[in-house]
Amino acid sequence: MLPLRGKVLNTFEVEKDQLFVNNEVHDIAVAIGVDPHAPSDEVSLAGLRYSKIILMADADVDGSHIATLLLTLFVRHFYQVVLAGKIYIAQPPLFRVDVPAHGKIPMRK
């Protein structure tokens, strides 16, 4: 699990040479074990460290924005990982279940 703080850099128009200026993007690249590449590049995924990369964000507007920014990062700079079917999005629940308390259970003597 790689926790990220705040919003990730919008990498849609960022060249791959400038990606590592952002610490979060650098940490993601190091964690997955694949260097950033263009969609047209031939890349070996032999260094890929995980069989699944699951993106998890909060179930609010900011969480949706962060998930979109992460998807943009992967589609623009880790395209072969996306083509290999390694990217998943966790859908957090938008509801909560409350169970009323039924009192304390009596202790045995």
Side-chain angles (χ1 to χ4, degrees), residues 9 12-13 17 30 37 46 50 57 59 62 65 74 86 92 104:
L9 174 71
F12 188 76
E13 294 181 354
D17 302 338
V30 170
H37 53 272
Y50 304 101
D62 287 332
H65 188 222
F74 280 102
K86 304 295 184 180
K104 293 184 178 180

Side-chain angles (χ1 to χ4, degrees), residues 14-23 25-30 34-36 78:
V14 176
E15 296 297 324
K16 70 179 181 179
D17 302 338
Q18 299 173 353
L19 281 178
F20 290 139
V21 171
N22 186 279
N23 287 336
V25 174
H26 174 265
D27 293 345
I28 290 169
V30 170
V34 176
D35 288 332
F78 297 98

